[in-house]
Amino acid sequence: MAIKLGIIGCAGRMGRRIASLAHEDQNFSLTCAIERPDHPAQGVDLGELLGLGKLDLPIRATLASKPDVLIDFTIPQVTIEALGAARKAAVPTVIGTTGLSSEQLVKLKEASEDIAVFHAANMSLGVNVLFHLVGQVARALGDDYDIEISETHHRFKKDAPSGTALELARQICAATNKDFDSCITHGRSGAQAPRKPGNIGMHARRQGDVIGEHTVAFSTLGETVELSHKAHSRDIFARGALRAAAWLVGKEPGLYDMLDLLELKK
Ligand code: NAD
């Protein structure tokens, strides 16, 4: 039986890709397409919006039927409201929305007492494997290896360094008992240029249409080890969210992330 899938933010960049990929995948059946009440696509058939032909699935502002699982890629406030509705309807929910505040993260935890909630700020399986590996490598190589993180993104990206680069640093700090707030050096210039022992260097490049590249280099006198991830398409995030949705169906209430799915939790 195909998994009945609902998408919140179905007309957004990620929502559209998730819907299109789910439509091609026989493991899923799209049953709910949700958008903000004043969105011009309200009432429009989702298939027609996506150029897939009629799917008899009008875009609505609320949950009209109960899916097996919901995927939300919207904005933090909407995510929290949607999670309230999902909790009431007892529907497991995958959240890809980024930028949740600490109070909003507490709300995720509370909702996960009643339903299964999956949250990953980066849904790429490869990046999550990298999160796991950098901590292990940093711990194994020890203090005499200088760690430098560099990331490259397209010219339109608003934030720097990327959330993924910061998470790589957080994983290294957690694995090596470093204090994240005091050990990151962002770029180097002038009097601040000499390397401080134990610090993690962080470098952001912005060029062209690069989707996202991250490299963590560990160097000592005589050798360098590099771990890299390159995203070729934004579809890696949509595919990761669909994989998370299929995995979440039938799970006990709780708060899960990609390391749970990949069975990489310590
Ligand atoms: P987007 O702006 O293209 O899409 C968001 C959609 O949410 C819009 O269509 C908007 O109309 C809709 N929305 C707003 N209010 C709503 C409401 N009340 N009910 C239903 N829908 C509503 O943005 P995007 O690029 O698709 O990104 C969405 C989020 O996902 C962002 O937080 C982004 O950072 C995050 N993101 C996460 C990953 C990941 O791997 N976790 C990857 C890419 C993007």
Side-chain angles (χ1 to χ4, degrees), residues 9 11-14 35-36 39 73-74 78 96 98 120-123 237:
R13 274 178 296 252
M14 286 304 298
E35 253 303 335
R36 65 182 154 76
H39 196 284
F73 277 74
T74 56
V78 170
T98 58
N122 189 316
M123 291 280 177
F237 309 120

Side-chain angles (χ1 to χ4, degrees), residues 58-94:
I59 295 172
R60 302 254 185 250
T62 52
L63 214 54
S65 64
K66 184 178 165 175
D68 295 321
V69 60
L70 279 164
I71 299 181
D72 172 285
F73 277 74
T74 56
I75 51 175
Q77 191 197 332
V78 170
T79 296
I80 297 305
E81 283 164 22
L83 198 57
R87 190 178 185 183
K88 238 186 215 157
V91 182
T93 302
V94 173

Side-chain angles (χ1 to χ4, degrees), residues 10 46 93 138 145 156 165 186 197 202 211 214 218 243 252 262:
C10 64
L46 179 67
T93 302
Y145 282 70
F156 306 108
H186 294 275
M202 184 72 83
I211 291 174
H214 293 86
F218 303 84
R243 175 127 171 219
E252 291 294 312
L262 294 167

Side-chain angles (χ1 to χ4, degrees), residues 81-164:
E81 283 164 22
L83 198 57
R87 190 178 185 183
K88 238 186 215 157
V91 182
T93 302
V94 173
I95 295 167
T97 305
T98 58
L100 298 178
S101 66
S102 353
E103 293 83 43
Q104 288 166 329
L105 289 171
V106 168
K107 296 223 159 95
L108 253 62
K109 187 79 191 147
E110 282 167 11
S112 75
E113 287 165 15
D114 294 330
I115 56 171
V117 178
F118 188 105
H119 179 228
N122 189 316
M123 291 280 177
S124 147
L125 270 60
V127 162
N128 281 275
V129 169
L130 191 61
F131 286 155
H132 177 70
L133 290 176
V134 291
Q136 285 193 322
V137 173
R139 201 168 37 227
L141 293 176
D143 285 349
D144 195 38
Y145 282 70
D146 302 328
I147 303 175
E148 298 281 311
I149 299 176
S150 49
E151 54 102 337
T152 310
H153 283 86
H154 48 87
R155 60 167 70 154
F156 306 108
K157 189 165 174 64
K158 295 195 181 81
D159 54 323
S162 69
T164 299

